[in-house]
Amino acid sequence: MPLIILTGYPSSGKTKRVNEIKDYFMNRIKEEKKSLRIHIINDESLHVTKDAYKDAREEKKARGALMSAVERTLSKDDIVIADGLNYIKGFRYQLYCIARAIGTPHCVVYTGIPPDIAKEWNKQRESEGYEETVFDELVSRYEEPDERNRWDSPLFTIIYDDVEIPLEKIWDSVILRKALPPNKSTVAKPVSSTNYVYELDKATLEIINAFVERQKEFGPGGMPMTVPRSETKVVNPSRTVTLSELRRLRKQFVNYNKMNTTLDIDRLGDVFVNYLNSNLE
């Protein structure tokens, strides 16, 4: 069943909208006598505190926990609402791939709000809010969804002071809409091609070597960097990324895809760069 991905600034009212969506869906399920369950996955359910967002490694673990929970829970009888910041484009892409791989619809709900109002709401939450420096950093790194991207579509933008929200349209988009069939970048295929494994090793190695060279040339921080084999640019963190860290990420990616063979050869580079981007932030 469907995946609904929430995204927005911290303290932008995401959980309020999640509860509105849940209540509406539960009423529709009861009215239409459907055998569906609703699961909300968020930091609270995963026992992730806001302190995790002070440290890049802890934040990465929190994203990994959310993704694993979504992957475990999503099924033909379970509607999953991913209630989190989900502010990295590459991470939303990974969630989209999970839904696409099992052939279930998805949608993105974006809680739009001016940063100054979100900041005021955050202050009002006192100890339950984010520290000011953490809040500012999260807002500065936020990557707004774009409905032109397939992983951000269909996109429902809900403004912070909207009284009515498009609940029926959200329902229709994930319950009535037929899921797209898994494409070459998400469907599993047998590991029988030596060429596939060779290209997987070669493409990922070229990308991490280029990353090291580009960061030496441009220094840490700054604009995203161009790497071979990918139309997507790789982020350039404000710290020096060591070759050992890149090798570790490459090993994880290669091992996963050797076992699952979920990528099309022509898209290896783009998907690996998205994987790097979601782990290097």
Side-chain angles (χ1 to χ4, degrees):
M1 266 288 119
L3 172 63
I4 301 174
I5 303 170
L6 269 287
T7 182
Y9 289 154
S11 300
S12 59
K14 292 183 293 297
T15 299
K16 173 188 174 184
R17 301 308 188 183
V18 164
N19 290 330
E20 291 173 344
I21 293 169
K22 179 187 176 184
D23 290 344
Y24 179 84
F25 272 50
M26 288 184 71
N27 288 332
R28 286 290 296 265
I29 289 169
K30 185 176 181 180
E31 289 172 6
E32 299 183 18
K33 296 181 171 58
K34 293 182 179 290
S35 300
L36 301 174
R37 298 179 293 266
I38 300 175
H39 304 269
I40 296 174
I41 299 175
N42 53 25
D43 285 349
E44 287 72 25
S45 68
L46 298 171
H47 307 291
V48 174
T49 69
K50 289 182 172 54
D51 288 340
Y53 296 93
K54 297 178 183 178
D55 180 82
R57 290 182 182 179
E58 291 302 313
E59 184 182 340
K60 191 186 303 180
K61 289 179 185 176
R63 289 199 299 271
L66 187 144
M67 182 175 297
S68 296
V70 168
E71 196 162 14
R72 285 195 309 270
T73 311
L74 202 57
S75 77
K76 64 183 180 66
D77 296 318
D78 296 277
I79 299 170
V80 174
I81 304 177
D83 175 19
L85 294 170
N86 301 323
Y87 68 92
I88 300 171
K89 177 175 64 175
F91 184 68
R92 294 197 299 272
Y93 174 79
Q94 289 178 294
L95 292 174
Y96 158 82
C97 285
I98 292 172
R100 187 77 184 269
I102 66 171
T104 189
H106 94 296
C107 76
V108 175
V109 176
Y110 170 46
T111 52
I113 188 172
D116 57 335
I117 295 179
K119 194 167 191 175
E120 182 58 35
W121 285 7
N122 186 63
K123 287 180 180 177
Q124 292 172 7
R125 298 176 69 182
E126 298 179 344
S127 60
E128 294 183 0
Y130 296 85
E131 290 186 9
E132 186 172 355
T133 53
V134 175
F135 177 92
D136 291 340
E137 287 173 4
L138 289 171
V139 168
S140 69
R141 298 201 303 267
Y142 187 81
E143 296 178 333
E144 189 171 318
D146 183 344
E147 63 184 350
R148 292 173 295 183
N149 298 326
R150 61 191 180 282
W151 56 87
D152 284 335
S153 178
L155 174 65
F156 298 95
T157 300
I158 301 174
I159 305 304
Y160 71 101
D161 57 356
D162 282 350
V163 176
E164 296 184 359
I165 64 176
L167 294 166
E168 186 173 359
K169 290 182 178 179
I170 294 172
W171 170 273
D172 291 348
S173 74
V174 293
I175 301 297
L176 302 184
R177 183 169 66 99
K178 185 176 180 181
L180 293 172
N183 62 19
K184 290 181 180 180
S185 67
T186 57
V187 70
K189 49 184 180 285
V191 186
S192 58
S193 171
T194 304
N195 186 51
Y196 173 83
V197 178
Y198 169 77
E199 290 294 336
L200 178 63
D201 280 325
K202 185 178 178 183
T204 52
L205 183 60
E206 286 181 17
I207 288 170
I208 66 168
N209 287 339
F211 182 100
V212 172
E213 291 303 316
R214 299 287 191 278
Q215 199 171 53
K216 282 182 182 176
E217 180 181 354
F218 299 112
M223 300 296 290
M225 304 178 294
T226 303
V227 290
R229 302 259 190 158
S230 174
E231 294 180 4
T232 305
K233 293 183 178 180
V234 66
V235 296
N236 185 4
S238 56
R239 60 184 176 86
T240 299
V241 180
T242 64
L243 185 57
S244 61
E245 180 180 356
L246 290 169
R247 284 174 176 164
R248 178 178 56 79
L249 291 172
R250 173 178 177 264
K251 183 179 180 181
Q252 291 172 353
F253 182 84
V254 168
N255 286 343
Y256 176 80
N257 288 291
K258 276 182 178 176
M259 291 185 294
N260 294 277
T261 325
T262 56
L263 302 179
D264 172 53
I265 286 176
D266 294 333
R267 301 202 62 255
L268 286 172
D270 283 302
V271 179
F272 181 52
V273 167
N274 276 314
Y275 179 79
L276 287 178
N277 287 346
S278 66
N279 283 280
L280 292 175
E281 287 286 351

